[in-house]
């Protein structure tokens, strides 16, 4: 009997899954991102770390294909994790998911080797699409971050807000609570539970925050509030 033709090397083989390291110090956000990444069929979540030290241990001992990291960590900075990754695994990719959108944070992360930069209000599907884009050689960046980069390159700094103190006074204490929750990337349900208010009232508070900060979405609101000094990230 004639033997069937030999299968080409690698033909019909399942491609290796992307080994992902997640670094996020906020517990609820870390768990949510871990669920999103862990459910992705093309990825393998190696670890979900809360500190730079934990991330360093994984980078030193495991093969990492992609680092997804926050920037502000309790024992360091996400930029340090990106640099460690680049030194240990030069072919690996790094993507930032952070509430920080100021010029310095964005530029430092990109200069350290981050190929993507998303804000924490990104939807789960956007995060997975961004990971796929990054692994395909593209650089997924939130629109607010893109504007920051363009502004920095063009040399046009944002105009200073003349009525920042007045803007701070216009935000009620509840709206400030909402704003801080937005900056942490909390969902509507998480905001309601954290502040012990009805979930139905959260959108109204957020809409007022957007209006008073002259913003169209969470990312812009956090950026504008940080720039005006209303919150510290």
């Amino acid at each position: 009997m004639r033997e069937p033709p030999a299968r080409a090397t690698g033909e019909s083989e399942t491609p290796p899954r992307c080994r992902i390291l997640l670094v996020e110090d906020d517990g609820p956000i870390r768990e949510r991102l871990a669920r999103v990444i862990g459910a992705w069929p093309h990825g393998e979540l190696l670890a979900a770390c809360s500190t730079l030290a934990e991330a360093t241990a994984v980078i030193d001992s495991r093969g990492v294909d992609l680092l997804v990291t926050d920037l502000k960590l309790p024992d360091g900075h996400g930029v340090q994790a990106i640099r460690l990754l680049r030194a240990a695994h030069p072919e690996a990719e790094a993507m930032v998911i952070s509430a920080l959108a100021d010029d310095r944070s964005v530029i430092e992360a990109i200069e350290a080797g981050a190929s993507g930069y998303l804000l924490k209000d990104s939807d789960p599907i956007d995060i997975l699409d961004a990971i796929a884009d990054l692994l395909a050689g593209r650089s997924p960046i939130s629109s607010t971050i893109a504007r920051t980069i363009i502004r920095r390159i063009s040399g046009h700094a944002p105009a200073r807000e003349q009525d920042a103190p007045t803007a701070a006074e216009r935000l009620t204490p509840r709206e400030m609570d909402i704003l801080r929750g937005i900056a942490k990337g909390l969902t509507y349900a998480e905001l309601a539970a954290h502040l012990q208010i009805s979930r139905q009232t959260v959108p109204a508070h957020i809409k007022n925050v957007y209006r008073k900060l002259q913003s169209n979405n969470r990312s812009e609101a956090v950026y504008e509030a940080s720039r005006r000094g209303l919150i510290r990230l």
Side-chain angles (χ1 to χ4, degrees):
M1 179 180 294
R2 185 176 179 179
E3 295 291 334
R7 192 183 301 275
T9 302
E11 184 179 337
S12 298
E13 292 181 357
T14 303
R17 294 193 297 172
C18 177
R19 297 165 297 181
I20 302 173
L21 169 60
L22 170 65
V23 187
E24 167 61 60
D25 69 309
D26 186 281
I29 295 177
R30 182 174 64 253
E31 292 173 6
R32 175 151 45 87
L33 291 174
R35 287 195 297 270
V36 171
I37 295 172
W40 190 46
H42 305 295
E44 174 190 356
L45 182 61
L46 294 178
C49 302
S50 61
T51 66
L52 178 62
E54 292 176 1
T56 300
V58 175
I59 291 172
D60 289 342
S61 62
R62 306 286 298 276
V64 179
D65 299 314
L66 171 63
L67 168 67
V68 177
T69 185
D70 191 7
L71 291 181
K72 190 174 182 181
L73 302 173
D75 60 341
H77 200 279
V79 166
Q80 294 171 274
I82 296 172
R83 289 172 178 156
L84 289 170
L85 177 78
R86 288 301 190 192
H89 310 286
E91 300 302 317
E93 298 285 358
M95 182 168 71
V96 171
I97 299 183
S98 177
L100 298 178
D102 60 281
D103 293 15
R104 180 177 179 181
S105 296
V106 173
I107 298 302
E108 281 188 354
I110 292 175
E111 288 180 344
S115 299
Y117 200 121
L118 300 182
L119 294 175
K120 282 188 179 179
D121 65 333
S122 300
D123 291 332
I125 188 63
D126 293 333
I127 294 173
L128 293 182
D129 285 346
I131 291 176
D133 284 347
L134 191 149
L135 296 177
R138 294 182 283 272
S139 295
I141 298 176
S142 295
S143 59
T144 300
I145 302 302
R147 286 195 294 271
T148 297
I149 295 172
I150 292 172
R151 196 167 52 239
R152 178 67 175 264
I153 292 174
S154 66
H156 295 156
R160 298 295 298 176
E161 186 69 31
Q162 297 300 319
D163 61 345
T166 305
E169 293 170 2
R170 287 202 302 267
L171 286 174
T172 68
R174 176 61 73 201
E175 289 165 354
M176 285 299 301
D177 290 338
I178 291 287
L179 178 59
R180 295 186 188 97
I182 288 174
K184 291 181 179 180
L186 299 183
T187 64
Y188 283 11
E190 290 168 341
L191 279 168
H194 178 67
L195 299 176
Q196 297 183 336
I197 59 177
S198 169
R199 188 187 185 284
Q200 285 69 35
T201 65
V202 172
H205 288 306
I206 290 179
K207 184 177 180 180
N208 288 335
V209 171
Y210 289 176
R211 176 176 55 80
K212 292 178 180 181
L213 293 178
Q214 299 180 335
S215 303
N216 297 314
N217 53 51
R218 288 191 179 205
S219 303
E220 292 181 4
V222 171
Y223 174 80
E224 185 63 20
S226 176
R227 187 176 71 80
R228 295 186 185 185
L230 303 183
I231 58 174
R232 294 184 61 184
L233 302 176

